């Protein structure tokens, strides 16, 4: 599943990195506060969320529930599009 998100990021022309965590949603939020790009994706078996420092909120910027492989690629693409200042993919 995480691999599909990575493919979406790469399709937008950006590199990706990832790690596993016992609490991915808290970790993703904390990662956006550190130096770096300020965008993080958290994924578990039921949902994916995109967190972004730009929007200065303590909640996910985008939330996806019950997602399949193709939709996971869209999660990766949309996270990359935040950094590229491109329009989001709302349906695919």
């Amino acid at each position: 599943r995480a691999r599909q998100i990575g493919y979406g990021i790469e399709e937008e022309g950006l590199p990706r990195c990832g790690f596993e965590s016992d609490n991915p949603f808290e970790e993703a939020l904390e990662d956006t506060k550190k130096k770096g790009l300020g965008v993080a994706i958290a994924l578990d078996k039921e949902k994916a969320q995109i967190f972004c420092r730009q929007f200065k909120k303590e909640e996910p910027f985008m939330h996806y529930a019950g997602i399949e492989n193709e939709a996971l690629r869209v999660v990766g693409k949309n996270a990359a599009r935040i950094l590229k200042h491109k329009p989001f993919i709302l349906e695919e």
Side-chain angles (χ1 to χ4, degrees):
R1 293 175 42 107
R3 184 174 291 152
Q4 293 299 321
I5 290 175
Y7 293 155
I9 293 169
E10 290 173 350
E11 286 171 8
E12 289 293 323
L14 295 177
R16 63 181 165 108
C17 69
F19 62 90
E20 289 188 28
S21 170
D22 291 333
N23 196 338
F25 301 99
E26 279 185 28
E27 291 276 344
L29 178 59
E30 288 304 311
D31 280 352
T32 63
K33 297 175 184 176
K34 298 176 184 174
K35 285 187 176 185
L37 299 174
V39 176
I41 302 168
L43 172 70
D44 68 10
K45 293 181 182 194
E46 299 170 4
K47 62 186 176 288
Q49 295 178 339
I50 300 173
F51 294 86
C52 180
R53 177 176 49 225
Q54 283 179 285
F55 300 104
K56 299 178 182 163
K57 292 188 175 182
E58 297 286 319
E59 57 192 48
F61 171 65
M62 293 182 145
H63 177 86
Y64 302 84
I67 50 182
E68 301 299 325
N69 283 345
E70 288 304 313
L72 288 166
R73 282 184 186 228
V74 171
V75 172
K77 288 180 182 184
N78 280 337
R81 286 171 175 237
I82 292 170
L83 300 171
K84 295 175 73 174
H85 303 282
K86 288 177 68 178
F88 299 118
I89 300 167
L90 300 177
E91 293 182 27
E92 187 165 292

